Amino acid sequence: MTGSNNPSDPATVKAQVEELKQALADLHAFKTETQKAIGTQKWADEGLRNGPCNTSDGKDGVNYIVLSQTADPVDLQASVKVVKTFWESKGFTTRTETNPRDPGLIRLYADKNGGQLVSYYANIEGSGLEMDSVCVAGDQTAIYKELYPENFGLPANPSPSPTAK
């Protein structure tokens, strides 16, 4: 196999990595828009990681997952309603969960065709967002080797060849 038919072809992997980087940029923009819709709270990203995922057509791939939290108070009902309306305007299907044993917690889950999942929770201690980027189809190991060469014993930035003086 050669070219784009080979999922481990270097050019294909580089294109997938660029697509994944764009997915991360889109995810951060969507997270920021969601946070602005909620209000003026100070948010802190508590984690960013890659994970395996499946595309809407069942192919293996890679995505980004981000967790962002705030301890600033929010109006529970109003914030969930604002986020629900905003996410639905972006094409997400939403569902809200509450627990009678924990009346101070509301969780809003949403998904979009293509496997993108997002959630928002609000309680008396603050609120949080956990968001997945779209899933980029490709070989997870090959993508990780391109993204994080230092984790595979490869130089992160190849040094230029020595020049003659």
Side-chain angles (χ1 to χ4, degrees):
M1 294 176 109
T2 59
S4 62
N5 291 330
N6 181 349
S8 296
D9 174 65
T12 300
V13 173
K14 284 187 186 301
Q16 292 164 337
V17 166
E18 289 307 310
E19 189 178 347
L20 188 60
K21 288 177 181 178
Q22 183 60 53
L24 178 60
D26 295 345
L27 177 65
H28 277 298
F30 183 62
K31 175 182 62 84
T32 300
E33 284 183 85
T34 300
Q35 291 167 337
K36 285 180 180 175
I38 296 167
T40 59
Q41 296 77 18
K42 288 187 177 188
W43 292 83
D45 287 352
E46 300 295 330
L48 174 67
R49 59 185 164 77
N50 292 107
C53 58
N54 293 91
T55 62
S56 60
D57 58 358
K59 293 180 182 171
D60 291 338
V62 178
N63 68 352
Y64 276 103
I65 301 108
V66 65
L67 173 63
S68 188
Q69 297 177 316
T70 181
D72 292 349
V74 295
D75 178 316
L76 302 181
Q77 297 290 338
S79 66
V80 170
K81 183 177 180 180
V82 163
V83 173
K84 177 180 172 58
T85 301
F86 175 68
W87 286 353
E88 288 175 351
S89 77
K90 298 294 186 181
F92 284 82
T93 303
T94 63
R95 66 182 164 83
T96 305
E97 289 183 3
T98 57
N99 183 339
R101 290 188 225 127
D102 191 359
L105 174 66
I106 303 172
R107 287 191 176 272
L108 175 66
Y109 295 95
D111 58 71
K112 194 172 190 178
N113 196 11
Q116 188 175 9
L117 303 172
V118 293
S119 68
Y120 171 67
Y121 70 86
N123 65 24
I124 57 173
E125 297 174 2
S127 53
L129 291 163
E130 185 169 357
M131 305 179 127
D132 294 3
S133 72
V134 296
C135 185
V136 175
D139 178 85
Q140 183 179 9
T141 302
I143 290 172
Y144 286 169
K145 280 182 180 179
E146 180 68 23
L147 267 176
Y148 311 111
E150 64 279 6
N151 294 342
F152 291 89
L154 305 168
N157 293 313
S159 58
S161 35
T163 56
K165 292 189 176 183

